[in-house]
Amino acid sequence: MAGTTTTVGRSFPRMEGRAKVTGRAEYVYNLRLPNMLHAKACRSTISHGRIRSIDTSAAEATPGVHHVVTGADICKVLPEPFYGPAFHDQPILALEKVRHYGEPIAVVLAADPHVAELAAQRIVVDYEELPAVFDEVEAMTSDVIVHEELKPAGTFADLKHLAGKRDTNLALDYHLRHGDADKAFAEADRVFEHTFSTQQTMHTPFEPMIAIADVRNSAATVYTSTQSPSFVRYELARLLGWPESSVRVKTSHLGGGFGAKVYVKTEALALALSMIAHRPVRLALTMEEQFYTITKHPSTFRIASAVDKNGKVTARKCEVWWNGGAYADIGPRVTQKSGFTAAGPYNIDNVSIDSYALYTNRPPAGALRGFGIPQLVWAYESHTDIIAREMGIDPVDFRKRNILRNGRMQAVGTVVKDGEFEAILDELAKRMDWDKPFDRGSGTVRRGRGVAIGFKASISPTTSSAIVAVNADGSCIVYCSTVDMGQGSDTAMAQIASEVLDIPMEKIRVVNPDTDVTPYDMSTLGSRSTFHMGHAVRLAAADAREKLLALAKEIGLPEGHNTPVPELFVRKFGMSAGAIIGSANYIPDFTPPNYSTGQSPNATPFWMSGATGVEVEVDTETGQMRILRMINVCDIGKAINPVVVETQISGAAVMQLGFTVSEEMVIENGQLTNPSLADYRIPGIFDMPSVMESGFVAADQQNGPFGAKGVGESGTFGVSPAIANAIEDAVGVRITKMPIKAEAIYRALCVKQGRELSDD
Amino acid sequence: MTDTKNSRRTIRFTLNGRPVAADIGLNQNITEVLQDSFGLGGSRESCGQGLCGCCTVIMDGKAVTGCLTLAAFADGASVTTVEGLADGETLSAEQEAFIETGAFQCGFCTPGFILMTKQLLDENPDPDDEEIRHYLSGNLCRCGAYPEIVKAVRLAAGKRRNA
Ligand code: FES
Ligand code: FES
């Protein structure tokens, strides 16, 4: 893939830009179908309990109500109404038990959404409340059992052994052994151990989750704001016992996803409701309801390092507990796939990792921009910084002494290739003027700075398929199921097709995912699309190019001819007719890990990495913290579209900033107290650092399409620990729990001065 | 409870410069009516609480959050939505500036920010960054496009001055 490119690598404005600024962009949210009913759910007001009875009479008596549907009604149309990508553990509506606050119990259908909402409030549920467990570490040993029996989906080989297990909240345990950590600890000069934790947060995509299902004539069509059209088709077909060709899943542009809209969310319920009503049903969640649907894992991470006197980390032991909430969703994958990078981007000969996915009575947790990586980086980069400080070594220097370089084996047993960990650290230090003197403030306002670096292995193996059609007039259509939720994938895919076929961007269209039209894609998640779908589109375009060459030959043109494409079609078909269709499937090479050691010589097709540096100002009298400067540097291989890449990096960092300093779902007495943007504070324009820079280093992902790799998550990696590290640098206190609010800093400052504050 | 049959009425207002009428429910907000009766999706509900600005419309020269504005209040008013900004195929200065600076990702918040930018520049043709941030602080962008949005406003101001 060497050589110069003309379209790839240029900052084209997003293809759908005009539609977005004129308010005409298509979102499923805007779709209305004739004769459609609106669905509104009645949700659990407790976190764990048995349902004694559901009184729907008042709701049914409400004028304008068409149906009131409970779990028992769902069973009549879908006899096994359980779904989930890793475990078939989630009922479409609660059956017998509720396992988290906000779980849907019943639904009202009406032509007027206001009527449906009002009637849903009139449903009365009587519960026998049960004790609940909310903490991931407690869930390991708690008497409270969330699921009577584990029900792995069978899709993942490493979950099969869990089938039928009882009396446990452990949904997956993953173990990795590399070298001999125990021996290295016994021989170490210094040993450090710390525990860190993260809180529950939510994606809050601005287009709330929505699905409209229309089941008729033994076929189902579901319009949904999903990141995973192919998986939704697969799962709905499984629930129905129908062939996948009888289920059509269509999506449009998404008003944000960030992992909230992967796998099945609202679709199974909408499907069942349409089967019951024999009409199209629109199930649109509110912002509040999104908090009950999917969240980011809270986590606890105990990390220990053995270090020699030169500041070389000789061993690391990692124990991570992931709080998956009441339904597993994709949590077990997070546990394993992110688990193996828990020791950080360092060259450590002896590593042991134990990673546990737990059920609790919190709303379910899944993937959120980083698939567990930000939780891990928070711990290992805070820990790494503490070690450097305690050993009196400069934090950048300490990291460089230990950094994992290309050609070295990562703990999972895979040799690192095209992973520019050191380069991004160097670039960050340069942009921060790390070597220059730094103004530390004075009096009650102190300044500090900190850095952090994190990495991620792309999740493997996953498949993408694409079709590229060249029309008789020389224009081109790209058919792929990658969902553009703001990351600019449509534009990137068009650039790749344009590059391969030498067709200008204005003549290329990228079709919105529609499973009747666009071929299979594993999902738009985990920063996988640029690499996987990028390859599929590249190969499909190359296939079309070969066919155009064959066509030219067939009509007797010499090699190297410069007859325009439309002319080829006219000569072959006698008029402007016909089409050339290129297609391709892409799956990277992969070797599954050995079950007992977790080792694999080929665990991932590419490594992503991101480093963040911040300068902060802390008021020692109040604990108030201000970020003066934030710099994010990532390794993204070669950029397909540099401007879009930069905005991806900075957008990811802004989101992680919210998770670091303000966002937190608070559960008190079994109730989620703040499921709204009023009480759950996401970053606004005033929360931006005074100076913010985002960039990437010159790099080349040699096995990537045009040297590119994924970028959507990398900007999140370093943000949280960089802030904690800067705070310690400024005022000498260490925060180990997220989020880092002024109160936490103030309390820590008090402790440092020898006066601990009471909890109230 | 509300009896839906007796709680409907017809309202007349000016929508993007044209006189229109709509049969509305008294409990409907203006965003719902724009979506359901006029097929206009630029004002859209997200937080539903007046906090994010995704539902922004201009009513009688003032920016309001459509999710908290009952449609009945539009009776007799003049309403401008993002769909009313472009002149045929020609985009407004604000719209062009948002495209050129890449000031959006998913685009769900974009109509609200663009309308607020227009309001700001109508009132203050040459705002500094602090004034821009202040004016836009009622709008949220979950994709975190704030740095580019501030740039877009500056660019739009320049375009309008040079127009
Ligand atoms: S939806 Fe109206 S302000 Fe958020
Ligand atoms: S661009 Fe997605 S919310 Fe602003």
Side-chain angles (χ1 to χ4, degrees):
Chain A
M1 243 150 287
T4 49
T5 56
T6 54
T7 313
V8 162
R10 273 178 58 195
S11 293
F12 286 91
R14 289 164 194 273
M15 296 180 91
E16 76 290 0
R18 211 182 163 83
K20 283 181 175 168
V21 301
T22 53
R24 308 262 180 205
E26 284 175 31
Y27 302 99
V28 175
Y29 169 87
N30 290 346
L31 181 68
R32 303 287 186 276
L33 294 185
N35 204 28
M36 129 188 129
L37 295 177
H38 293 266
K40 273 289 157 200
C42 155
R43 292 173 179 274
S44 176
T45 54
I46 62 170
S47 283
H48 197 198
R50 245 176 265 289
I51 300 172
R52 279 207 203 97
S53 65
I54 308 171
D55 181 356
T56 58
S57 53
E60 267 155 20
T62 304
V65 167
H66 283 246
H67 299 270
V68 181
V69 178
T70 64
D73 301 316
I74 302 278
C75 290
K76 290 177 203 150
V77 292
L78 296 171
E80 276 294 320
F82 296 92
Y83 65 96
F87 287 78
H88 292 159
D89 57 0
Q90 190 157 8
I92 292 175
L93 287 177
L95 290 167
E96 292 163 29
K97 269 179 92 173
V98 288
R99 295 183 177 86
H100 68 87
Y101 186 81
E103 180 164 3
I105 296 173
V107 171
V108 176
L109 295 177
D112 180 340
H114 297 276
V115 170
E117 188 176 343
L118 184 80
Q121 289 162 7
R122 297 176 160 188
I123 296 172
V124 182
V125 183
D126 183 26
Y127 308 95
E128 174 198 339
E129 205 165 340
L130 297 170
V133 59
F134 299 106
D135 179 88
E136 59 276 8
V137 179
E138 278 169 29
M140 288 285 283
T141 52
S142 174
D143 291 337
V144 177
I145 299 296
V146 181
H147 289 271
E148 289 70 16
E149 185 180 321
L150 301 186
K151 296 199 289 182
T155 349
F156 301 117
D158 55 333
L159 299 179
K160 283 205 177 108
H161 69 287
L162 296 170
K165 269 212 177 175
R166 299 184 74 88
D167 299 325
T168 180
N169 291 320
L170 189 59
L172 177 71
D173 52 325
Y174 166 77
H175 309 281
L176 179 144
R177 297 291 179 263
H178 175 72
D180 188 343
D182 287 335
K183 182 159 169 280
F185 267 86
E187 293 166 357
D189 290 312
R190 303 279 306 264
V191 169
F192 299 85
E193 183 184 315
H194 306 101
T195 300
F196 300 88
S197 64
T198 65
Q199 80 285 27
Q200 190 167 29
T201 57
M202 205 268 151
H203 319 60
T204 69
F206 271 14
E207 178 197 27
M209 294 164 208
I210 173 167
I212 305 179
D214 187 3
V215 185
R216 59 175 94 179
N217 308 327
S218 308
T221 305
V222 181
Y223 307 83
T224 167
S225 179
T226 183
Q227 297 173 232
S228 315
S230 304
F231 182 85
V232 171
R233 175 178 71 171
Y234 163 86
E235 189 74 337
L236 298 188
R238 183 186 65 77
L239 285 165
L240 288 159
W242 292 359
E244 288 188 45
S245 53
S246 299
V247 178
R248 180 178 196 177
V249 178
K250 295 182 71 164
T251 191
S252 305
H253 279 99
L254 264 53
F258 317 115
K261 300 174 179 175
V262 293
Y263 305 107
V264 167
K265 292 293 172 296
T266 48
E267 298 86 357
L269 179 53
L271 175 89
L273 294 171
S274 177
M275 294 172 83
I276 289 166
H278 302 290
R279 283 169 73 163
V281 171
R282 179 179 194 259
L283 174 65
L285 301 194
T286 59
M287 184 59 80
E288 175 187 338
E289 288 177 294
Q290 295 201 94
F291 285 91
Y292 309 136
T293 307
I294 195 70
T295 68
K296 177 173 178 148
H297 287 79
S299 66
T300 300
F301 188 162
R302 187 156 72 209
I303 182 167
S305 292
V307 189
D308 74 12
K309 53 185 178 309
N310 302 317
K312 174 86 185 77
V313 180
T314 57
R316 217 163 237 194
K317 288 187 182 179
C318 307
E319 285 171 282
V320 196
W321 294 268
W322 302 93
N323 191 326
Y327 298 105
D329 198 79
I330 201 60
R333 291 285 92 179
V334 172
T335 304
Q336 190 224 15
K337 296 288 179 179
S338 294
F340 75 75
T341 64
Y346 298 112
N347 183 26
I348 307 174
D349 290 335
N350 306 288
V351 173
S352 85
I353 295 169
D354 298 293
S355 181
Y356 306 98
L358 277 315
Y359 281 119
T360 67
N361 294 109
R362 287 177 174 271
L368 200 175
R369 214 164 190 171
F371 218 68
I373 296 296
Q375 291 97 317
L376 298 175
V377 187
W378 160 245
Y380 66 64
E381 280 299 87
S382 294
H383 174 71
T384 298
D385 220 69
I386 299 172
I387 300 173
R389 278 169 205 284
E390 288 195 14
M391 294 186 71
I393 304 173
D394 171 80
V396 172
D397 179 27
F398 183 80
R399 287 175 172 84
K400 283 185 59 110
R401 289 184 200 185
N402 289 286
I403 201 88
L404 185 59
R405 295 189 170 88
N406 282 314
R408 296 292 309 181
M409 189 181 284
Q410 198 269 344
V412 77
T414 299
V415 173
V416 176
K417 237 183 132 236
D418 299 334
E420 303 302 336
F421 313 145
E422 186 169 26
I424 63 171
L425 195 55
D426 285 342
E427 174 70 15
L428 179 70
K430 190 174 111 206
R431 290 192 188 213
M432 289 193 72
D433 298 318
W434 192 259
D435 294 336
K436 308 239 169 77
F438 176 69
D439 171 8
R440 309 203 137 267
S442 59
T444 58
V445 179
R446 296 302 172 110
R447 292 180 169 196
R449 55 185 180 166
V451 297
I453 175 172
F455 79 137
K456 179 182 176 189
S458 170
I459 290 162
S460 201
T462 64
T463 302
S464 290
S465 312
I467 296 171
V468 172
V470 179
N471 299 323
D473 69 348
S475 65
C476 169
I477 303 185
V478 176
Y479 300 84
C480 69
S481 292
T482 292
V483 178
D484 198 328
M485 48 190 173
Q487 81 281 37
S489 55
D490 282 2
T491 309
M493 296 309 150
Q495 285 180 259
I496 289 172
S498 165
E499 185 69 47
V500 174
L501 286 162
D502 196 19
I503 293 175
M505 285 289 280
E506 317 78 74
K507 290 193 181 173
I508 298 184
R509 180 178 170 79
V510 180
V511 174
N512 281 338
D514 172 348
T515 58
D516 270 12
V517 177
T518 56
Y520 176 88
D521 179 48
M522 180 263 183
S523 182
T524 305
L525 55 74
S527 309
R528 65 176 291 283
S529 303
T530 299
F531 187 92
H532 294 80
M533 190 57 83
H535 268 312
V537 169
R538 179 184 65 80
L539 292 166
D543 186 33
R545 191 184 54 202
E546 290 306 311
K547 288 176 175 157
L548 283 170
L549 289 175
L551 178 64
K553 198 167 163 201
E554 192 188 325
I555 57 177
L557 290 171
E559 228 168 278
H561 72 92
N562 57 5
T563 312
V565 169
E567 184 66 28
L568 300 182
F569 283 89
V570 171
R571 290 225 215 153
K572 166 74 182 172
F573 300 107
M575 58 187 290
S576 181
I580 289 289
I581 312 286
S583 66
N585 288 303
Y586 178 78
I587 183 168
D589 293 336
F590 170 75
T591 312
N594 175 295
Y595 180 68
S596 55
T597 62
Q599 297 287 296
S600 162
N602 188 7
T604 181
F606 63 94
W607 303 91
M608 293 173 261
S609 56
T612 297
V614 295
E615 296 175 7
V616 302
E617 191 170 83
V618 181
D619 184 329
T620 55
E621 289 191 316
T622 62
Q624 292 291 341
M625 188 257 308
R626 214 156 64 86
I627 300 179
L628 305 171
R629 198 163 167 223
M630 173 188 276
I631 297 172
N632 306 291
V633 180
C634 296
D635 166 20
I636 53 108
K638 281 196 175 129
I640 304 275
N641 187 321
V643 165
V644 171
V645 164
E646 270 169 37
T647 57
Q648 277 291 291
I649 296 171
S650 78
V654 169
M655 189 168 217
Q656 190 66 28
L657 177 62
F659 297 146
T660 308
V661 301
S662 65
E663 297 179 40
E664 178 175 29
M665 289 171 62
V666 178
I667 294 185
E668 272 168 18
N669 302 322
Q671 312 222 323
L672 181 61
T673 62
N674 61 339
S676 89
L677 295 192
D679 305 309
Y680 177 94
R681 240 181 48 77
I682 67 170
I685 205 161
F686 279 130
D687 299 310
M688 291 306 96
S690 315
V691 177
M692 183 155 164
E693 261 180 57
S694 299
F696 47 89
V697 294
D700 184 9
Q701 182 65 37
Q702 290 173 54
N703 63 345
F706 301 99
K709 64 176 144 194
V711 60
E713 302 161 313
S714 310
T716 65
F717 297 166
V719 172
S720 310
I723 292 171
N725 296 343
I727 291 169
E728 169 151 22
D729 191 50
V731 293
V733 300
R734 172 56 60 173
I735 307 296
T736 57
K737 287 184 164 73
M738 281 181 32
I740 309 175
K741 295 189 183 175
E743 186 189 331
I745 300 173
Y746 180 67
R747 280 176 181 277
L749 284 165
C750 291
V751 171
K752 190 178 165 229
Q753 293 156 5
R755 49 187 187 103
E756 197 148 346
L757 294 182
S758 78
D759 275 349
D760 13 76
Chain B
M1 79 153 273
T2 45
D3 175 351
T4 44
K5 289 231 171 48
N6 294 330
S7 53
R8 298 196 73 82
R9 62 180 278 204
T10 301
I11 58 167
R12 282 167 217 292
F13 61 107
T14 307
L15 177 57
N16 294 328
R18 280 187 306 119
V20 296
D23 173 41
I24 60 149
L26 287 186
N27 53 7
Q28 281 189 299
N29 64 43
I30 187 70
T31 297
E32 288 179 272
V33 170
L34 291 169
Q35 296 252 350
D36 289 345
S37 308
F38 297 98
L40 295 180
S43 163
R44 53 205 47 159
E45 194 161 316
S46 181
C47 72
Q49 291 183 303
L51 299 160
C52 70
C54 289
C55 56
T56 303
V57 298
I58 312 279
M59 196 181 273
D60 289 335
K62 285 225 314 262
V64 299
T65 46
C67 69
L68 297 185
T69 306
L70 285 175
F73 293 139
D75 202 5
S78 170
V79 175
T80 304
T81 70
V82 75
E83 289 90 345
L85 291 195
D87 180 7
E89 284 300 292
T90 312
L91 297 180
S92 73
E94 300 82 10
Q95 290 171 317
E96 277 180 5
F98 269 68
I99 292 182
E100 286 166 25
T101 52
F104 50 86
Q105 296 185 20
C106 79
F108 210 71
C109 68
T110 310
F113 274 103
I114 288 180
L115 284 171
M116 291 305 287
T117 301
K118 179 184 172 329
Q119 288 291 100
L120 164 62
L121 299 179
D122 285 351
E123 287 168 24
N124 178 358
D126 191 15
D128 63 26
D129 283 7
E130 199 46 36
E131 289 168 325
I132 293 172
R133 277 199 281 268
H134 227 274
Y135 205 90
L136 298 182
S137 62
N139 289 60
L140 294 170
C141 172
R142 188 47 155 168
C143 298
Y146 300 116
E148 294 81 24
I149 290 170
V150 174
K151 277 189 215 153
V153 179
R154 283 199 306 250
L155 180 63
K159 281 177 184 277
R160 285 172 50 136
R161 283 198 302 274
N162 298 332

